[in-house]
Every structure is written in C-alpha cells, then in structure tokens.
Amino acid sequence: MPTPKKHTENNKEAPFKLKSGLAQMLKGGVIMDVINAEQAKIAETAGACAVMALERVPADIRKQGGVARMSDPKMIQEIMKTVSIPVMAKVRIGHFVEAQILESLGIDYIDESEVLTPADEQFHVNKNLFQVPFVCGATNLGEALRRLNEGAAMIRTKGEAGTGNVVEAVRHWRKIKSEIETVLGANDTQLKKIAKEMRVPFELVKTLVKLKRLPVVNFAAGGIATPADAAMMMQLGCDGVFVGSGIFKSSDPAKRAKAIVEATTHFNDPKVLARVSSDLGEPMESQEIEKLGTKYAERGW
Amino acid sequence: MVNLIPTQWGGHLKGLSISNKDICKLHIFFIFSKMSIKRAIIGVLALQGGVIEHQSALEKCGVQVVLVKTKDDLKKVQALIIPGGESTTIGKLIRWYGLEEDLKRRIKEGMPVYGTCAGAILLAKNVIGREKAPHLALMDVTIERNSYGRQLDSFESQIEFGEMPAKHKIPAVFIRAPKIRSVGNKVIVLAQMGKEIIAARENNKLVTTFHPELTDKLIVHRYFLDMIPKSLRA
C-alpha cells in the first residue's frame, strides 16, 4: 500500500493538484531516457528537466526482444542519488506491484509504458490509488481520457519508441487534436454518445469542453531523434518532449541532448534551430514503421 | 472564487476556469488595475516550467504579458516573473542565451522581479544542494533545493501572506519545493509556515517557495504588481 503522506490535510483535491502540478513544472522541457548514473549526469548537465531511468532504451528492447520489465531498483536509486532533477521510471501496463515498488523507492513519476511488455490484458494500473503521479501513453483521445479516469496526471503520445521515426508521434498527436475539435463542436446529446463510445464519464468529456484542451499536461514521445523533431512537436502544441533512444543511441549524446533542450525552448525560432542542428554527428539508427515486427503503440487500449 | 469544474481533472488549470461571479470581479479589478498600472508590460521568463499559469494569473489581473525568451524580449518588459520549473534547466538556458548579464543589470537597476520556487532559487545569493544551477545571486537569502524531499513530499497548505497588518489567507502549493534557510537584515518576511520562511521581499525582489499560480488566488500576483514603482509605469 502507498504510504499516506502529509499532503491530504483538509483538502481532497490536493493530491491530484500536486500530481498534475509537477507535470506543469516540467513543461517546455525534455525528459531523457537514461540507463545509468553516468548518463543521468550527462542528461542533467545538458539541461534535461527530468530523466527516465530504465535498463534498456527502447531501441535495445526492440533488438534484443524478450520480456521487458521494471528496472532494477538499485539502478534506479543510484540515478536518484546522482541527479537533483525529478526521476521517473517505467512499469509494465497493469503491473500494480511494480508501481508499488517504485512508489516505495520515492520515485517522482511513474510511466505505465507500452515499451515494456504488458502484464495485464484487461486492466491498466488503478492510478488513483497511488500518491505518486503517473504518466501514460495514448494514441487517441479516448485512450487519453481513459488513462485520466484511472488517475493519470500527465499524458504523452505513444509514437513508436525505439525507431527514431517521428511520424507516429505526429499521427497520434494530430489524432488527439482533431478528436478534441470534434468534441468541442458537439452538443450535449452527442457528448453523451462520445463519452459512452470512449468509455469515460460524461463529466470528464464536459471538463475537456470547458478547458478546450486535455485537462493535464501532454508531452510528445516515441521516435523523437533530432532538435527539429522536438521543435515540430512543440509547434504542433505539445507541452514538452520525451526523448528515449534518440540521445544515447546517437554518436554524440551530450551535444545532441543539449541541442534538443535548446530546440524545445526556442521551438519557434528557425535560426536557433539551424544552429543547434548543425554538426551533431550521427543520429540513432532508425527504422521504417512498416518494417517493424511489433508496434508498441498497439499495446494498451 | 468558485471553481466551476467539479472534478479532479480540470481543477488545476485555473487560468481556464471561470464563473460569472469571477467575470464581474475581473471587470472591477480590470478597471482599477488599468488606473494603477496603466500600460506596464509584465514579462514571464519562458525558457522552461510553469509559464502559462503565471501568464494566466497576470492576465486575470488585467495587465499585458510578454513571454521572455531572448534579450530583445526582456527589453519590452517593466517587470518580470521567473516561474517554477527545473532551476538547473532554466539557469542553463539563461546563461546559454546571454540573458544573465541583462537580467542582473535590469534587476540591479530596480526592475521588479518575482521568483517562484525555481525562480526563487535563481534569485538567491546562496544556494545549498547538489548540482547548483548557475544562479543570478541577487537577493540576500540562502535557499536549499528540494529541501522537503521528493515528489511524495509535495503538499498543499493554507498560509497567511502579506505585510502586517494586511495579511491574506491563501492556499499554497509546494512541489519539490526549496526552503529559505536564512535571510539578510534588509529582507522582509511575507509568509511563514511554522518557522519556515516561505515568502520574502528585498526591495524590488520577491520570492515564494510555493506556487500561487497553481491556485485561484491572485493575492501574490497583485502584491507583485503593486511593487512596480510609478517611474516604471509606462
């Protein structure tokens, strides 16, 4: 069971505000996948706003195959000790015990991630039961809202992790945006139908209508490999970016990491983008989506 | 303020939740603020972090807001908020984009500046903690990063903010917050939680370790706008 902390004092809304509040403070930043303390330090030095601790980056999970699980708590703790920025880590879809373990370590954010092998084909983790905030992937609005209904405090596009190909992240985010537009144009009767089809409470769909956007922070993820990719997702309206294999599978991680941080801040300034895109060395090895054996984005529902 | 969004999902995006009552209040405040602040343009440093929340709070106060990313942007503003976010990230971007000298000069010349959480760390003269961000070191306070602990130690509390006797009860959200360990003798303490100093002012510099921009209340933002001297009101 999650340890109850002092936050809940006389305010029922406090826990969710704190969970989503941290995501709000990450906006405009880059969250980088790292596999050890040394990489975490490089990420922090390059200006990452948080790191994602995991044993294998998605590109390696793809190559090596097998069941991908939560990382060794010892490795995660070493990273937590090394950097002062927030540390996130992944659990398998539906694996609530992995989530309990990460919460007990005092991790700052949990990613219930399709990059790992799903542990439950029916249920995602009931994230409302945890004090620690969760980020979840989505390929469309219904998926995003179902995750929010389960208690996620931050959403990211799934994209297609480990490919160095931004096309799926773009597709998922455009899909979410166009579905939000549809919802905004609907009347109450239609909204009730939409809520039913998406399998979420009507109230949640109404909240979306009132805010005219997802009610939590949305980052882009899955296939971002260059500063231009990051800036494109920002121009399309994402709040920040996750970069997985894109940094530490490239030929000059420190330089590319810093360049992507700068591109995420100055996403609207092509002159800055041209400068930071120059002389970065080789990007990660990339893949075409049609040639993939497994599409991670199809995991989860 | 009445938050019309009843669920957990939307309550935090305060800039976007509004009721009729609020609109009346806003109109009244808008008229007053127009009189008192005229055309002062307030900047929000927009390198990383909780930028739109401050933008939204300032707009509710009826002032014009410019997001500041470059030295040229900085020239347009008469006051500046340095938002919450990751102080290491913001500190680096300040340095990489040559904003450090201009920021220091403007603030030393008297430009009102308000640092929230990470922004408070960047303004502090002394910073305790690992991976010290390159900070501006302008305000006579010593501050410790992530001093309450990690995200699980984040919390919300009711506090009293302001100069005696005008103290206002407001909610305060602390997220991986720093602690102000000590302040110089010219620093006025504006809020405390137990013994902890959580808001302070030294002349044109205001800091809070909590996030008023994540709540409905505009008390801290209004206090900051009142710090703009007449000579700076364009």
PDB file of all heavy atoms in Angstrom, chain B residues 48-60:
ATOM      1  N   GLN B  48      11.515  27.483 -19.607  1.00  0.00           N
ATOM      2  CA  GLN B  48      11.019  26.157 -19.221  1.00  0.00           C
ATOM      3  C   GLN B  48      10.195  26.345 -17.958  1.00  0.00           C
ATOM      4  O   GLN B  48      10.454  27.256 -17.182  1.00  0.00           O
ATOM      5  CB  GLN B  48      12.208  25.203 -18.953  1.00  0.00           C
ATOM      6  CG  GLN B  48      11.848  23.724 -18.802  1.00  0.00           C
ATOM      7  CD  GLN B  48      11.518  23.357 -17.354  1.00  0.00           C
ATOM      8  OE1 GLN B  48      12.151  23.849 -16.431  1.00  0.00           O
ATOM      9  NE2 GLN B  48      10.519  22.510 -17.161  1.00  0.00           N
ATOM     10  N   GLY B  49       9.176  25.487 -17.758  1.00  0.00           N
ATOM     11  CA  GLY B  49       8.448  25.480 -16.491  1.00  0.00           C
ATOM     12  C   GLY B  49       7.026  25.986 -16.584  1.00  0.00           C
ATOM     13  O   GLY B  49       6.413  25.992 -17.645  1.00  0.00           O
ATOM     14  N   GLY B  50       6.496  26.417 -15.415  1.00  0.00           N
ATOM     15  CA  GLY B  50       5.083  26.794 -15.306  1.00  0.00           C
ATOM     16  C   GLY B  50       4.828  28.203 -15.808  1.00  0.00           C
ATOM     17  O   GLY B  50       4.477  29.094 -15.029  1.00  0.00           O
ATOM     18  N   VAL B  51       4.984  28.415 -17.098  1.00  0.00           N
ATOM     19  CA  VAL B  51       4.888  29.747 -17.702  1.00  0.00           C
ATOM     20  C   VAL B  51       3.437  30.192 -17.873  1.00  0.00           C
ATOM     21  O   VAL B  51       3.046  31.266 -17.422  1.00  0.00           O
ATOM     22  CB  VAL B  51       5.621  29.772 -19.068  1.00  0.00           C
ATOM     23  CG1 VAL B  51       5.438  31.121 -19.752  1.00  0.00           C
ATOM     24  CG2 VAL B  51       7.096  29.446 -18.887  1.00  0.00           C
ATOM     25  N   ILE B  52       2.610  29.332 -18.511  1.00  0.00           N
ATOM     26  CA  ILE B  52       1.249  29.784 -18.854  1.00  0.00           C
ATOM     27  C   ILE B  52       0.403  30.035 -17.607  1.00  0.00           C
ATOM     28  O   ILE B  52      -0.510  30.847 -17.636  1.00  0.00           O
ATOM     29  CB  ILE B  52       0.486  28.817 -19.800  1.00  0.00           C
ATOM     30  CG1 ILE B  52       0.478  27.405 -19.254  1.00  0.00           C
ATOM     31  CG2 ILE B  52       1.034  28.881 -21.205  1.00  0.00           C
ATOM     32  CD1 ILE B  52      -0.527  26.496 -19.956  1.00  0.00           C
ATOM     33  N   GLU B  53       0.727  29.368 -16.506  1.00  0.00           N
ATOM     34  CA  GLU B  53      -0.028  29.571 -15.277  1.00  0.00           C
ATOM     35  C   GLU B  53       0.167  31.005 -14.771  1.00  0.00           C
ATOM     36  O   GLU B  53      -0.782  31.657 -14.346  1.00  0.00           O
ATOM     37  CB  GLU B  53       0.403  28.553 -14.210  1.00  0.00           C
ATOM     38  CG  GLU B  53       0.032  27.107 -14.528  1.00  0.00           C
ATOM     39  CD  GLU B  53       0.965  26.408 -15.511  1.00  0.00           C
ATOM     40  OE1 GLU B  53       1.944  27.042 -15.968  1.00  0.00           O
ATOM     41  OE2 GLU B  53       0.716  25.239 -15.844  1.00  0.00           O
ATOM     42  N   HIS B  54       1.416  31.491 -14.823  1.00  0.00           N
ATOM     43  CA  HIS B  54       1.678  32.880 -14.417  1.00  0.00           C
ATOM     44  C   HIS B  54       1.066  33.858 -15.419  1.00  0.00           C
ATOM     45  O   HIS B  54       0.496  34.877 -15.036  1.00  0.00           O
ATOM     46  CB  HIS B  54       3.182  33.143 -14.302  1.00  0.00           C
ATOM     47  CG  HIS B  54       3.762  32.723 -12.983  1.00  0.00           C
ATOM     48  ND1 HIS B  54       3.340  33.277 -11.788  1.00  0.00           N
ATOM     49  CD2 HIS B  54       4.704  31.810 -12.658  1.00  0.00           C
ATOM     50  CE1 HIS B  54       4.025  32.723 -10.798  1.00  0.00           C
ATOM     51  NE2 HIS B  54       4.852  31.827 -11.296  1.00  0.00           N
ATOM     52  N   GLN B  55       1.202  33.527 -16.694  1.00  0.00           N
ATOM     53  CA  GLN B  55       0.633  34.376 -17.743  1.00  0.00           C
ATOM     54  C   GLN B  55      -0.863  34.558 -17.489  1.00  0.00           C
ATOM     55  O   GLN B  55      -1.394  35.669 -17.521  1.00  0.00           O
ATOM     56  CB  GLN B  55       0.871  33.715 -19.105  1.00  0.00           C
ATOM     57  CG  GLN B  55       0.322  34.527 -20.257  1.00  0.00           C
ATOM     58  CD  GLN B  55       0.539  33.828 -21.595  1.00  0.00           C
ATOM     59  OE1 GLN B  55       0.945  32.666 -21.663  1.00  0.00           O
ATOM     60  NE2 GLN B  55       0.275  34.547 -22.663  1.00  0.00           N
ATOM     61  N   SER B  56      -1.525  33.436 -17.207  1.00  0.00           N
ATOM     62  CA  SER B  56      -2.956  33.460 -16.992  1.00  0.00           C
ATOM     63  C   SER B  56      -3.329  34.264 -15.739  1.00  0.00           C
ATOM     64  O   SER B  56      -4.272  35.058 -15.761  1.00  0.00           O
ATOM     65  CB  SER B  56      -3.430  32.011 -16.917  1.00  0.00           C
ATOM     66  OG  SER B  56      -4.618  31.932 -16.228  1.00  0.00           O
ATOM     67  N   ALA B  57      -2.563  34.100 -14.656  1.00  0.00           N
ATOM     68  CA  ALA B  57      -2.838  34.855 -13.427  1.00  0.00           C
ATOM     69  C   ALA B  57      -2.658  36.353 -13.672  1.00  0.00           C
ATOM     70  O   ALA B  57      -3.473  37.170 -13.229  1.00  0.00           O
ATOM     71  CB  ALA B  57      -1.917  34.379 -12.302  1.00  0.00           C
ATOM     72  N   LEU B  58      -1.605  36.716 -14.397  1.00  0.00           N
ATOM     73  CA  LEU B  58      -1.359  38.139 -14.678  1.00  0.00           C
ATOM     74  C   LEU B  58      -2.449  38.714 -15.566  1.00  0.00           C
ATOM     75  O   LEU B  58      -2.906  39.837 -15.363  1.00  0.00           O
ATOM     76  CB  LEU B  58       0.015  38.315 -15.361  1.00  0.00           C
ATOM     77  CG  LEU B  58       1.235  38.106 -14.480  1.00  0.00           C
ATOM     78  CD1 LEU B  58       2.509  38.063 -15.319  1.00  0.00           C
ATOM     79  CD2 LEU B  58       1.342  39.207 -13.424  1.00  0.00           C
ATOM     80  N   GLU B  59      -2.881  37.944 -16.542  1.00  0.00           N
ATOM     81  CA  GLU B  59      -3.940  38.427 -17.434  1.00  0.00           C
ATOM     82  C   GLU B  59      -5.233  38.634 -16.661  1.00  0.00           C
ATOM     83  O   GLU B  59      -5.982  39.568 -16.936  1.00  0.00           O
ATOM     84  CB  GLU B  59      -4.106  37.478 -18.625  1.00  0.00           C
ATOM     85  CG  GLU B  59      -2.999  37.694 -19.651  1.00  0.00           C
ATOM     86  CD  GLU B  59      -2.919  36.635 -20.740  1.00  0.00           C
ATOM     87  OE1 GLU B  59      -3.697  35.662 -20.695  1.00  0.00           O
ATOM     88  OE2 GLU B  59      -2.065  36.779 -21.629  1.00  0.00           O
ATOM     89  N   LYS B  60      -5.486  37.766 -15.679  1.00  0.00           N
ATOM     90  CA  LYS B  60      -6.662  37.958 -14.820  1.00  0.00           C
ATOM     91  C   LYS B  60      -6.545  39.256 -14.031  1.00  0.00           C
ATOM     92  O   LYS B  60      -7.543  39.853 -13.655  1.00  0.00           O
ATOM     93  CB  LYS B  60      -6.801  36.798 -13.835  1.00  0.00           C
ATOM     94  CG  LYS B  60      -7.433  35.561 -14.417  1.00  0.00           C
ATOM     95  CD  LYS B  60      -7.808  34.634 -13.271  1.00  0.00           C
ATOM     96  CE  LYS B  60      -7.823  33.200 -13.702  1.00  0.00           C
ATOM     97  NZ  LYS B  60      -7.947  32.293 -12.545  1.00  0.00           N
TER      98      LYS B  60
END
